[in-house]
Amino acid sequence: MGVYLGLILWRTKCLVLCIFMTFMLGCFIALTPITSDVCDCADNQPSDLTERKTEEQTYQTEGDKAKHKLAVLVPFRDRFDELLEFAPHMHKFLKKQNINHQIFVLNQIDSYRFNRAALINVGFREVCPECDYIAMHDVDLLPLNSQLSYGYPESGPFHVASPQLHPRYNYSTFVGGILLIKRHMHDRVRRKRDMTKCFNQIQVTRHRDLETGMNTVSYKLAEVRQMSIDDAPVTVLNVKLHCDKLLTPWCECGSNNPSVQRTATASKLKKSG
Ligand code: UDP
Ligand code: MN
């Protein structure tokens, strides 16, 4: 009987312990934020970034901030679901830092291949004359660490998305993307990228282009529209880029590009001749 009672007591103890542990585990899970896909990159790379942040934070007082205005230039085509996340996030993030700002979506509506650099040039030329600094901003990069300052870069360009923090471009000469990454949304299937290099594109674009750019970008601004995504005001510029197919035939890779045909045939002839 005594043994029997002891066994019951022991089982009850185990049961209570199990219930207690399950309860504690439940509490732990409930209190842990769901951030498994979030990279608080600044925390992973404290030294470099913290140093630069400190610099950034000390040069700008609240009073200074009011004097400056930031134009956020977003090169864009067919990434609406990302924009729905980007605009409210950025607006909230910048508002928290008291950054006077406006978000511009540079929407490429022609049928040429996507041209990020040309769109940024168009944005720079077309928007916000009162803005005294810009952020070239990919739509799929979200700043996460609120310590990262988007303040006026008094001492020269500030590359927020330093190479160590970029999930794909971690070579020292990388400049792009700009921001800390909350999560990288590339999906090879859902979001195919146009990585084609047609005809002599590789040889030509490998060299630094000293001729074309801001002054030569040719386009038509088809429409400017104001919209808001949640409470984030966004200005959308519908841009039709022009393309000099003799100069940059790869703006259109397909067989419907007669100059590509000509160039390709010419280079083939040259090579074999
Ligand atoms: N982008 C776009 N539509 C495209 C390709 C690119 O809107 O079809 C824009 C978008 O802002 C994107 C940026 O260009 O974040 C850079 O392209 P992507 O993210 O594909 O390249 P990554 O530099 O990350 O390799
Ligand atoms: Mn990207």
Side-chain angles (χ1 to χ4, degrees):
M1 185 68 176
V3 174
Y4 185 62
L5 264 181
L7 202 67
I8 292 181
L9 216 65
W10 184 75
R11 278 194 186 158
T12 315
K13 263 188 201 168
C14 281
L15 194 70
V16 170
L17 196 69
C18 279
I19 292 171
F20 177 72
M21 297 230 331
T22 312
F23 174 74
M24 290 304 284
L25 197 69
C27 286
F28 177 74
I29 291 170
L31 292 175
T32 307
I34 309 167
T35 52
S36 55
D37 57 346
V38 165
C39 157
D40 190 344
C41 306
D43 286 344
N44 296 340
Q45 309 283 340
S47 52
D48 188 31
L49 219 76
T50 318
E51 231 174 70
R52 285 200 252 160
K53 264 184 295 166
T54 318
E55 244 178 64
E56 281 275 303
Q57 281 167 347
T58 47
Y59 66 62
Q60 198 173 41
T61 65
E62 287 304 309
D64 281 345
K65 276 185 186 166
K67 285 193 288 192
H68 298 291
K69 186 165 180 187
L70 167 70
V72 180
L73 305 183
V74 188
F76 183 86
R77 174 189 265 171
D78 192 25
R79 299 219 168 162
F80 194 63
D81 49 343
E82 292 183 349
L83 183 63
L84 289 183
E85 190 164 349
F86 173 84
H89 178 90
M90 278 317 291
H91 185 58
K92 204 166 140 202
F93 187 89
L94 294 171
K95 244 177 34 181
K96 249 193 192 160
Q97 288 193 9
N98 280 325
I99 302 288
N100 190 10
H101 68 277
Q102 203 170 335
I103 298 173
F104 297 92
V105 172
L106 306 154
N107 183 28
Q108 186 175 341
I109 61 166
D110 55 73
S111 54
Y112 295 124
R113 296 173 70 206
F114 185 70
N115 190 334
R116 180 182 187 274
L119 290 170
I120 289 171
N121 284 339
V122 173
F124 193 87
R125 286 173 60 144
E126 291 292 336
V127 307
C128 197
E130 76 275 18
C131 290
D132 58 356
Y133 66 120
I134 62 161
M136 304 176 196
H137 216 303
D138 285 3
V139 76
D140 63 354
L141 295 175
L142 306 178
L144 178 65
N145 190 328
S146 58
Q147 296 293 300
L148 261 189
S149 170
Y150 272 63
Y152 184 72
E154 209 78 58
S155 51
F158 179 55
H159 191 206
V160 188
S162 57
Q164 314 93 284
L165 305 183
H166 202 287
R168 304 174 76 200
Y169 307 131
N170 55 355
Y171 50 90
S172 62
T173 50
F174 164 74
V175 179
I178 301 294
L179 302 170
L180 266 190
I181 290 150
K182 179 182 177 191
R183 76 180 116 161
H184 207 271
M185 295 182 240
H186 285 297
D187 178 323
R188 274 166 213 238
V189 181
R190 237 169 31 92
R191 206 162 291 301
K192 266 196 170 154
R193 298 182 62 217
D194 179 0
M195 303 290 276
T196 319
K197 298 274 180 259
C198 59
F199 304 103
N200 59 344
Q201 185 175 3
I202 291 183
Q203 295 100 289
V204 177
T205 52
R206 209 175 44 201
H207 302 293
R208 195 164 160 201
D209 180 355
L210 297 171
E211 280 138 42
T212 67
M214 185 83 68
N215 301 332
T216 59
V217 65
S218 173
Y219 60 94
K220 181 170 181 276
L221 192 55
E223 204 178 4
V224 179
R225 307 194 62 150
Q226 305 297 337
M227 59 188 282
S228 75
I229 301 176
D230 296 343
D231 63 341
V234 172
T235 307
V236 179
L237 284 80
N238 285 336
V239 180
K240 279 188 184 170
L241 295 178
H242 298 162
C243 171
D244 181 339
K245 290 186 195 165
L246 281 175
L247 209 61
T248 55
W250 48 82
C251 63
E252 196 172 68
C253 275
S255 53
N256 55 340
N257 182 343
S259 63
V260 167
Q261 293 289 314
R262 270 204 309 279
T263 318
T265 318
S267 62
K268 247 189 209 161
L269 282 177
K270 248 191 219 162
K271 260 188 202 159
S272 56

